[in-house]
Amino acid sequence: MGVVNVPGYNFLPMTRKTQYSMEEIRLIARVVEDPNVIVVPADSRFNNLPDVIAALRSKPGSVTFGHNGAGTNGHLAIRMLAAAAKVEPNEISYRGTAAQRTDLLGGHLDVGMVSLSEIPELHGSNKGPLRVIAILSKKRFASLPDVPTAEEAGFPVTSTAEHGFAVPKGVPDEIVRKLEAGIAEGLRNPEYLAGSPGDVPVIAFMPGADWQKRLDDMSAALRPYPEEMKANEQK
């Protein structure tokens, strides 16, 4: 049994030869849905996502947009947003969210693209040194109820980091069903929830068969981006 991290799990085989094939793997259950959020310094001139897009339409490349490396969920989210809004941000690649945070707070980066769980101080509040202006999920999150989705802001883009469990394809159905049920029960366990309060906002159980359908749709949406990224690297 292993842990699967999306979108890397389904995106990497599109960009290179991998040591695994998705056809050889059976998903048991998703346990986490961790959407991308767009963050700015608290004193940023950008009040919302339309402000960012307007600035980029007025002057392409005028807004620096951070992500955690080529092919990461944050990078893919920026590319999808750029395509939906027909803009071209000035992308800055970082080695992690901590580096993005430092540059945001230091005034060296205009906008950051990170995952919700990476800024736990914002859960339940949007009053700190960083401010979330949009969340790239289908619906608003309870931990940030006043933050609109990108779709609500006029840009129908969703992007999440998702984590769950998988087994080799040949594992019998009976065992898969028991594992799925056990994972679901564990995620409802009050002791676990009390001991991991930082995880609670992003816990999102989904049965393996449903998760596979979701990944199939996600993969279809991501297929244009490997060629686009390759073309950008060659420029």
Side-chain angles (χ1 to χ4, degrees):
M1 190 160 113
V3 173
V4 167
N5 297 308
V6 173
Y9 166 70
N10 50 324
F11 185 69
L12 284 177
M14 300 181 196
T15 66
R16 69 196 71 173
K17 183 174 176 58
T18 55
Q19 294 182 322
Y20 66 91
S21 165
M22 291 175 62
E23 287 70 33
E24 301 170 331
I25 296 172
R26 180 172 179 177
L27 302 177
I28 301 173
R30 183 187 73 179
V31 297
V32 165
E33 179 186 18
D34 195 0
N36 282 112
V37 290
I38 301 172
V39 296
V40 296
D43 59 356
S44 171
R45 69 186 189 276
F46 301 123
N47 292 315
N48 49 48
L49 181 55
D51 284 353
V52 175
I53 300 304
L56 286 168
R57 286 175 176 168
S58 174
K59 186 177 180 181
S62 62
V63 180
T64 53
F65 229 119
H67 61 77
N68 289 345
T72 61
N73 61 307
H75 182 217
L76 292 168
I78 292 173
R79 297 317 312 153
M80 287 189 282
L81 179 62
K86 297 181 172 58
V87 296
E88 197 54 51
N90 180 7
E91 295 180 16
I92 309 295
S93 180
Y94 288 86
R95 294 196 174 188
T97 296
Q100 278 200 67
R101 184 198 303 266
T102 297
D103 274 9
L104 283 164
L105 297 179
H108 308 297
L109 179 66
D110 295 321
V111 182
M113 183 71 81
V114 300
S115 295
L116 177 63
S117 67
E118 295 175 314
I119 44 171
E121 71 272 18
L122 290 174
H123 294 181
S125 170
N126 205 15
K127 299 175 182 178
L130 296 178
R131 179 163 47 87
V132 183
I133 58 173
I135 186 165
L136 275 63
S137 55
K138 275 292 185 184
K139 59 183 180 180
R140 296 192 184 198
F141 260 55
S143 57
L144 287 171
D146 297 328
V147 175
T149 66
E151 186 166 6
E152 287 177 313
F155 310 99
V157 176
T158 58
S159 175
T160 63
E162 302 184 15
H163 314 295
F165 294 97
V167 291
K169 201 78 167 185
V171 172
D173 291 348
E174 181 183 358
I175 293 177
V176 171
R177 285 194 295 268
K178 287 181 178 179
L179 290 170
E180 183 181 289
I183 291 167
E185 182 180 353
L187 292 176
R188 293 190 298 265
N189 187 302
E191 188 175 331
Y192 166 71
L193 295 173
S196 304
D199 296 334
V200 171
V202 295
I203 290 174
F205 174 82
M206 181 178 283
D210 293 343
W211 195 26
Q212 184 62 62
K213 291 177 184 176
R214 174 171 167 75
L215 261 60
D216 291 343
D217 291 341
M218 185 187 296
S219 295
L222 292 174
R223 282 200 182 95
Y225 294 99
E227 284 301 318
E228 178 187 309
M229 290 162 57
K230 185 177 180 180
N232 287 338
E233 289 173 1
Q234 293 172 347
K235 288 181 180 179

